[in-house]
Amino acid sequence: MNDTDIPLANAKVLYKTLLSEQSYSVSQTTVRAGGETQWHHHTHVKDRFVVVQGTLTVETKTGGLIDSTQVRDHYTVEPGVIHHVKNETADDVVYIMIQSGGVRDIVLA
């Protein structure tokens, strides 16, 4: 999977892969004001977000319930958890994402 093959984000979400190894990857994501990803999950991969600029909103869904979290430092999404991220502020949000635990995949919800 490369940066242009990510089907889940609108044009206000910019990805840059920093490192890609067999068992993990590291990327930088910039989410402009109003940017968001679609609801999705990963089969085996754990997402770890480290916010380096701004405040990221991470939402997770369990059944019909949505939990919304304002992240200014770090957050982890376990494999199989349906989630998406968005920027609800007027400024860019930048975060480093570390994915590990298996083959990278995106399953749209």
Side-chain angles (χ1 to χ4, degrees):
M1 176 180 312
N2 68 38
D3 297 350
T4 60
D5 294 334
I6 300 173
L8 75 148
N10 67 20
K12 294 181 179 184
V13 182
L14 309 170
Y15 295 96
K16 179 179 178 184
T17 299
L18 304 175
L19 177 65
S20 184
E21 298 291 334
Q22 184 175 352
S23 61
Y24 65 93
S25 68
V26 180
S27 60
Q28 174 185 309
T29 304
T30 301
V31 186
R32 298 212 162 114
E36 67 180 302
T37 62
Q38 293 183 45
W39 287 98
H40 66 283
H41 74 275
H42 309 287
T43 306
H44 303 287
V45 173
K46 179 185 295 190
D47 282 347
R48 293 177 190 91
F49 306 118
V50 179
V51 178
V52 295
Q53 178 183 318
T55 302
L56 181 69
T57 299
V58 179
E59 293 185 323
T60 57
K61 188 184 296 187
T62 305
L65 301 176
I66 295 174
D67 181 41
S68 183
T69 304
Q70 302 294 307
V71 178
R72 292 175 184 82
D73 49 16
H74 61 86
Y75 191 85
T76 300
V77 178
E78 297 294 331
V81 174
I82 298 172
H83 65 284
H84 82 129
V85 300
K86 61 184 177 179
N87 180 355
E88 298 180 305
T89 72
D91 300 314
D92 286 354
V93 173
V94 179
Y95 64 92
I96 304 301
M97 181 172 62
I98 302 166
Q99 291 185 314
S100 64
V103 176
R104 294 170 66 193
D105 68 348
I106 297 170
V107 180
L108 297 178

